[in-house]
Amino acid sequence: MIIPCPFCGPRDLSEFAYCGDADNLAARPDPAATDPAAWNAYVYDRTNPAGDHAEIWQHAGGCRRHLRIVRNTVTHAVSDVTIPGAKP
């Protein structure tokens, strides 16, 4: 998979680190919480959509910036890359 970094240009997936879902952030339990079900849900319960999905990736092997990437989970085609928090 090729990810088009806005700062470095198109780069191979091996240069990037997946950081998670960009839109449906799970609420972290209280760090002092001892409820295993709450921590299990936080760590493992995620949606698994087929189609376009917004994700946060870090260009760890390049500019080290975080990017918001819209990727099709079926074809792995990247349709949009933006900088998180940047105003359009």
Side-chain angles (χ1 to χ4, degrees), residues 1-26:
M1 182 168 84
I2 300 296
I3 296 177
C5 176
F7 303 101
C8 304
R11 296 291 192 262
D12 186 72
L13 170 67
S14 63
E15 292 187 16
F16 293 84
Y18 176 76
C19 296
D21 192 340
D23 294 331
N24 300 314
L25 301 175

PDB file of all heavy atoms in Angstrom, residues 1-26:
ATOM      1  N   MET A   1       0.856  -1.171   0.000  1.00  0.00           N
ATOM      2  CA  MET A   1       0.000   0.000   0.000  1.00  0.00           C
ATOM      3  C   MET A   1       0.901   1.234   0.000  1.00  0.00           C
ATOM      4  O   MET A   1       1.882   1.294   0.742  1.00  0.00           O
ATOM      5  CB  MET A   1      -0.892  -0.020   1.245  1.00  0.00           C
ATOM      6  CG  MET A   1      -1.859   1.133   1.309  1.00  0.00           C
ATOM      7  SD  MET A   1      -3.135   0.954   2.581  1.00  0.00           S
ATOM      8  CE  MET A   1      -2.285   1.542   3.998  1.00  0.00           C
ATOM      9  N   ILE A   2       0.562   2.189  -0.812  1.00  0.00           N
ATOM     10  CA  ILE A   2       1.298   3.446  -0.904  1.00  0.00           C
ATOM     11  C   ILE A   2       0.456   4.529  -0.237  1.00  0.00           C
ATOM     12  O   ILE A   2      -0.736   4.690  -0.534  1.00  0.00           O
ATOM     13  CB  ILE A   2       1.582   3.829  -2.373  1.00  0.00           C
ATOM     14  CG1 ILE A   2       2.418   2.742  -3.059  1.00  0.00           C
ATOM     15  CG2 ILE A   2       2.257   5.189  -2.460  1.00  0.00           C
ATOM     16  CD1 ILE A   2       3.805   2.556  -2.480  1.00  0.00           C
ATOM     17  N   ILE A   3       1.069   5.286   0.670  1.00  0.00           N
ATOM     18  CA  ILE A   3       0.387   6.390   1.346  1.00  0.00           C
ATOM     19  C   ILE A   3       1.019   7.685   0.861  1.00  0.00           C
ATOM     20  O   ILE A   3       2.237   7.874   0.980  1.00  0.00           O
ATOM     21  CB  ILE A   3       0.501   6.256   2.876  1.00  0.00           C
ATOM     22  CG1 ILE A   3      -0.222   4.983   3.332  1.00  0.00           C
ATOM     23  CG2 ILE A   3      -0.077   7.490   3.564  1.00  0.00           C
ATOM     24  CD1 ILE A   3      -0.122   4.693   4.810  1.00  0.00           C
ATOM     25  N   PRO A   4       0.198   8.615   0.323  1.00  0.00           N
ATOM     26  CA  PRO A   4       0.743   9.877  -0.175  1.00  0.00           C
ATOM     27  C   PRO A   4       0.918  10.895   0.966  1.00  0.00           C
ATOM     28  O   PRO A   4       0.000  11.611   1.320  1.00  0.00           O
ATOM     29  CB  PRO A   4      -0.304  10.342  -1.187  1.00  0.00           C
ATOM     30  CG  PRO A   4      -1.583   9.728  -0.715  1.00  0.00           C
ATOM     31  CD  PRO A   4      -1.214   8.443  -0.025  1.00  0.00           C
ATOM     32  N   CYS A   5       2.112  10.951   1.544  1.00  0.00           N
ATOM     33  CA  CYS A   5       2.396  11.911   2.612  1.00  0.00           C
ATOM     34  C   CYS A   5       2.427  13.313   2.004  1.00  0.00           C
ATOM     35  O   CYS A   5       3.112  13.542   1.011  1.00  0.00           O
ATOM     36  CB  CYS A   5       3.733  11.587   3.274  1.00  0.00           C
ATOM     37  SG  CYS A   5       4.215  12.783   4.536  1.00  0.00           S
ATOM     38  N   PRO A   6       1.692  14.279   2.585  1.00  0.00           N
ATOM     39  CA  PRO A   6       1.693  15.626   2.022  1.00  0.00           C
ATOM     40  C   PRO A   6       3.048  16.333   2.148  1.00  0.00           C
ATOM     41  O   PRO A   6       3.285  17.328   1.481  1.00  0.00           O
ATOM     42  CB  PRO A   6       0.625  16.370   2.816  1.00  0.00           C
ATOM     43  CG  PRO A   6       0.105  15.456   3.844  1.00  0.00           C
ATOM     44  CD  PRO A   6       0.768  14.132   3.692  1.00  0.00           C
ATOM     45  N   PHE A   7       3.933  15.827   2.995  1.00  0.00           N
ATOM     46  CA  PHE A   7       5.227  16.468   3.203  1.00  0.00           C
ATOM     47  C   PHE A   7       6.362  15.752   2.476  1.00  0.00           C
ATOM     48  O   PHE A   7       7.306  16.389   2.043  1.00  0.00           O
ATOM     49  CB  PHE A   7       5.543  16.510   4.706  1.00  0.00           C
ATOM     50  CG  PHE A   7       4.482  17.226   5.488  1.00  0.00           C
ATOM     51  CD1 PHE A   7       3.526  16.507   6.183  1.00  0.00           C
ATOM     52  CD2 PHE A   7       4.412  18.600   5.496  1.00  0.00           C
ATOM     53  CE1 PHE A   7       2.536  17.154   6.885  1.00  0.00           C
ATOM     54  CE2 PHE A   7       3.417  19.259   6.201  1.00  0.00           C
ATOM     55  CZ  PHE A   7       2.479  18.533   6.894  1.00  0.00           C
ATOM     56  N   CYS A   8       6.271  14.417   2.363  1.00  0.00           N
ATOM     57  CA  CYS A   8       7.361  13.620   1.797  1.00  0.00           C
ATOM     58  C   CYS A   8       7.030  13.001   0.446  1.00  0.00           C
ATOM     59  O   CYS A   8       7.913  12.428  -0.192  1.00  0.00           O
ATOM     60  CB  CYS A   8       7.729  12.498   2.765  1.00  0.00           C
ATOM     61  SG  CYS A   8       8.155  13.071   4.412  1.00  0.00           S
ATOM     62  N   GLY A   9       5.766  13.063   0.033  1.00  0.00           N
ATOM     63  CA  GLY A   9       5.358  12.429  -1.204  1.00  0.00           C
ATOM     64  C   GLY A   9       4.909  10.999  -0.962  1.00  0.00           C
ATOM     65  O   GLY A   9       4.824  10.539   0.174  1.00  0.00           O
ATOM     66  N   PRO A  10       4.601  10.269  -2.024  1.00  0.00           N
ATOM     67  CA  PRO A  10       4.126   8.886  -1.879  1.00  0.00           C
ATOM     68  C   PRO A  10       5.184   7.993  -1.240  1.00  0.00           C
ATOM     69  O   PRO A  10       6.346   8.005  -1.648  1.00  0.00           O
ATOM     70  CB  PRO A  10       3.844   8.446  -3.315  1.00  0.00           C
ATOM     71  CG  PRO A  10       3.751   9.704  -4.108  1.00  0.00           C
ATOM     72  CD  PRO A  10       4.619  10.705  -3.406  1.00  0.00           C
ATOM     73  N   ARG A  11       4.765   7.238  -0.216  1.00  0.00           N
ATOM     74  CA  ARG A  11       5.688   6.361   0.502  1.00  0.00           C
ATOM     75  C   ARG A  11       5.039   5.010   0.766  1.00  0.00           C
ATOM     76  O   ARG A  11       3.818   4.895   0.867  1.00  0.00           O
ATOM     77  CB  ARG A  11       6.095   6.973   1.846  1.00  0.00           C
ATOM     78  CG  ARG A  11       6.873   8.272   1.731  1.00  0.00           C
ATOM     79  CD  ARG A  11       8.255   7.990   1.141  1.00  0.00           C
ATOM     80  NE  ARG A  11       9.146   9.104   1.245  1.00  0.00           N
ATOM     81  CZ  ARG A  11       9.400   9.970   0.277  1.00  0.00           C
ATOM     82  NH1 ARG A  11       8.808   9.841  -0.897  1.00  0.00           N
ATOM     83  NH2 ARG A  11      10.254  10.941   0.443  1.00  0.00           N
ATOM     84  N   ASP A  12       5.858   3.988   0.941  1.00  0.00           N
ATOM     85  CA  ASP A  12       5.381   2.649   1.223  1.00  0.00           C
ATOM     86  C   ASP A  12       4.826   2.567   2.646  1.00  0.00           C
ATOM     87  O   ASP A  12       5.288   3.264   3.552  1.00  0.00           O
ATOM     88  CB  ASP A  12       6.521   1.650   1.056  1.00  0.00           C
ATOM     89  CG  ASP A  12       6.042   0.220   1.185  1.00  0.00           C
ATOM     90  OD1 ASP A  12       5.363  -0.254   0.253  1.00  0.00           O
ATOM     91  OD2 ASP A  12       6.330  -0.403   2.218  1.00  0.00           O
ATOM     92  N   LEU A  13       3.883   1.679   2.828  1.00  0.00           N
ATOM     93  CA  LEU A  13       3.247   1.448   4.124  1.00  0.00           C
ATOM     94  C   LEU A  13       4.267   1.164   5.226  1.00  0.00           C
ATOM     95  O   LEU A  13       4.062   1.529   6.388  1.00  0.00           O
ATOM     96  CB  LEU A  13       2.272   0.275   3.996  1.00  0.00           C
ATOM     97  CG  LEU A  13       1.666  -0.282   5.269  1.00  0.00           C
ATOM     98  CD1 LEU A  13       0.735   0.738   5.891  1.00  0.00           C
ATOM     99  CD2 LEU A  13       0.930  -1.563   4.986  1.00  0.00           C
ATOM    100  N   SER A  14       5.385   0.537   4.888  1.00  0.00           N
ATOM    101  CA  SER A  14       6.382   0.164   5.894  1.00  0.00           C
ATOM    102  C   SER A  14       6.968   1.362   6.634  1.00  0.00           C
ATOM    103  O   SER A  14       7.534   1.212   7.710  1.00  0.00           O
ATOM    104  CB  SER A  14       7.504  -0.650   5.248  1.00  0.00           C
ATOM    105  OG  SER A  14       8.193   0.129   4.291  1.00  0.00           O
ATOM    106  N   GLU A  15       6.817   2.570   6.098  1.00  0.00           N
ATOM    107  CA  GLU A  15       7.312   3.775   6.754  1.00  0.00           C
ATOM    108  C   GLU A  15       6.323   4.337   7.777  1.00  0.00           C
ATOM    109  O   GLU A  15       6.652   5.289   8.486  1.00  0.00           O
ATOM    110  CB  GLU A  15       7.610   4.865   5.723  1.00  0.00           C
ATOM    111  CG  GLU A  15       8.765   4.556   4.821  1.00  0.00           C
ATOM    112  CD  GLU A  15       9.142   5.733   3.933  1.00  0.00           C
ATOM    113  OE1 GLU A  15       8.715   6.883   4.211  1.00  0.00           O
ATOM    114  OE2 GLU A  15       9.867   5.510   2.955  1.00  0.00           O
ATOM    115  N   PHE A  16       5.117   3.775   7.847  1.00  0.00           N
ATOM    116  CA  PHE A  16       4.060   4.341   8.675  1.00  0.00           C
ATOM    117  C   PHE A  16       3.701   3.437   9.836  1.00  0.00           C
ATOM    118  O   PHE A  16       3.847   2.221   9.766  1.00  0.00           O
ATOM    119  CB  PHE A  16       2.809   4.585   7.824  1.00  0.00           C
ATOM    120  CG  PHE A  16       2.999   5.667   6.793  1.00  0.00           C
ATOM    121  CD1 PHE A  16       3.580   5.378   5.571  1.00  0.00           C
ATOM    122  CD2 PHE A  16       2.609   6.971   7.047  1.00  0.00           C
ATOM    123  CE1 PHE A  16       3.768   6.355   4.613  1.00  0.00           C
ATOM    124  CE2 PHE A  16       2.793   7.960   6.093  1.00  0.00           C
ATOM    125  CZ  PHE A  16       3.366   7.660   4.886  1.00  0.00           C
ATOM    126  N   ALA A  17       3.192   4.057  10.897  1.00  0.00           N
ATOM    127  CA  ALA A  17       2.687   3.320  12.064  1.00  0.00           C
ATOM    128  C   ALA A  17       1.211   3.672  12.235  1.00  0.00           C
ATOM    129  O   ALA A  17       0.848   4.850  12.274  1.00  0.00           O
ATOM    130  CB  ALA A  17       3.464   3.704  13.313  1.00  0.00           C
ATOM    131  N   TYR A  18       0.371   2.643  12.328  1.00  0.00           N
ATOM    132  CA  TYR A  18      -1.062   2.835  12.525  1.00  0.00           C
ATOM    133  C   TYR A  18      -1.311   3.292  13.957  1.00  0.00           C
ATOM    134  O   TYR A  18      -0.796   2.702  14.904  1.00  0.00           O
ATOM    135  CB  TYR A  18      -1.801   1.524  12.247  1.00  0.00           C
ATOM    136  CG  TYR A  18      -3.279   1.584  12.501  1.00  0.00           C
ATOM    137  CD1 TYR A  18      -4.128   2.220  11.607  1.00  0.00           C
ATOM    138  CD2 TYR A  18      -3.826   1.007  13.640  1.00  0.00           C
ATOM    139  CE1 TYR A  18      -5.490   2.274  11.834  1.00  0.00           C
ATOM    140  CE2 TYR A  18      -5.187   1.053  13.880  1.00  0.00           C
ATOM    141  CZ  TYR A  18      -6.013   1.692  12.969  1.00  0.00           C
ATOM    142  OH  TYR A  18      -7.357   1.748  13.202  1.00  0.00           O
ATOM    143  N   CYS A  19      -2.095   4.343  14.124  1.00  0.00           N
ATOM    144  CA  CYS A  19      -2.346   4.896  15.461  1.00  0.00           C
ATOM    145  C   CYS A  19      -3.795   4.769  15.904  1.00  0.00           C
ATOM    146  O   CYS A  19      -4.116   5.133  17.027  1.00  0.00           O
ATOM    147  CB  CYS A  19      -1.923   6.356  15.509  1.00  0.00           C
ATOM    148  SG  CYS A  19      -0.154   6.587  15.252  1.00  0.00           S
ATOM    149  N   GLY A  20      -4.685   4.313  15.031  1.00  0.00           N
ATOM    150  CA  GLY A  20      -6.059   4.075  15.453  1.00  0.00           C
ATOM    151  C   GLY A  20      -7.105   4.767  14.615  1.00  0.00           C
ATOM    152  O   GLY A  20      -6.821   5.448  13.635  1.00  0.00           O
ATOM    153  N   ASP A  21      -8.332   4.581  15.051  1.00  0.00           N
ATOM    154  CA  ASP A  21      -9.519   5.126  14.408  1.00  0.00           C
ATOM    155  C   ASP A  21      -9.540   6.642  14.573  1.00  0.00           C
ATOM    156  O   ASP A  21      -9.293   7.156  15.666  1.00  0.00           O
ATOM    157  CB  ASP A  21     -10.748   4.491  15.070  1.00  0.00           C
ATOM    158  CG  ASP A  21     -12.031   4.740  14.338  1.00  0.00           C
ATOM    159  OD1 ASP A  21     -12.104   5.690  13.535  1.00  0.00           O
ATOM    160  OD2 ASP A  21     -12.978   3.980  14.568  1.00  0.00           O
ATOM    161  N   ALA A  22      -9.846   7.373  13.519  1.00  0.00           N
ATOM    162  CA  ALA A  22      -9.847   8.833  13.579  1.00  0.00           C
ATOM    163  C   ALA A  22     -11.173   9.419  14.034  1.00  0.00           C
ATOM    164  O   ALA A  22     -11.205  10.534  14.529  1.00  0.00           O
ATOM    165  CB  ALA A  22      -9.490   9.411  12.209  1.00  0.00           C
ATOM    166  N   ASP A  23     -12.256   8.698  13.872  1.00  0.00           N
ATOM    167  CA  ASP A  23     -13.562   9.277  14.161  1.00  0.00           C
ATOM    168  C   ASP A  23     -14.264   8.694  15.379  1.00  0.00           C
ATOM    169  O   ASP A  23     -15.002   9.390  16.053  1.00  0.00           O
ATOM    170  CB  ASP A  23     -14.483   9.134  12.949  1.00  0.00           C
ATOM    171  CG  ASP A  23     -13.986   9.952  11.773  1.00  0.00           C
ATOM    172  OD1 ASP A  23     -13.338  10.991  11.997  1.00  0.00           O
ATOM    173  OD2 ASP A  23     -14.250   9.547  10.636  1.00  0.00           O
ATOM    174  N   ASN A  24     -14.079   7.434  15.648  1.00  0.00           N
ATOM    175  CA  ASN A  24     -14.792   6.772  16.738  1.00  0.00           C
ATOM    176  C   ASN A  24     -13.829   6.405  17.856  1.00  0.00           C
ATOM    177  O   ASN A  24     -13.543   5.250  18.094  1.00  0.00           O
ATOM    178  CB  ASN A  24     -15.507   5.511  16.225  1.00  0.00           C
ATOM    179  CG  ASN A  24     -16.511   5.855  15.151  1.00  0.00           C
ATOM    180  OD1 ASN A  24     -17.275   6.787  15.304  1.00  0.00           O
ATOM    181  ND2 ASN A  24     -16.486   5.122  14.066  1.00  0.00           N
ATOM    182  N   LEU A  25     -13.333   7.440  18.536  1.00  0.00           N
ATOM    183  CA  LEU A  25     -12.362   7.197  19.584  1.00  0.00           C
ATOM    184  C   LEU A  25     -13.053   6.606  20.812  1.00  0.00           C
ATOM    185  O   LEU A  25     -14.053   7.125  21.289  1.00  0.00           O
ATOM    186  CB  LEU A  25     -11.655   8.501  19.959  1.00  0.00           C
ATOM    187  CG  LEU A  25     -10.906   9.174  18.804  1.00  0.00           C
ATOM    188  CD1 LEU A  25     -10.347  10.500  19.258  1.00  0.00           C
ATOM    189  CD2 LEU A  25      -9.811   8.279  18.299  1.00  0.00           C
ATOM    190  N   ALA A  26     -12.503   5.531  21.308  1.00  0.00           N
ATOM    191  CA  ALA A  26     -13.069   4.875  22.483  1.00  0.00           C
ATOM    192  C   ALA A  26     -12.711   5.672  23.731  1.00  0.00           C
ATOM    193  O   ALA A  26     -11.606   6.195  23.858  1.00  0.00           O
ATOM    194  CB  ALA A  26     -12.521   3.459  22.592  1.00  0.00           C
TER     195      ALA A  26
END
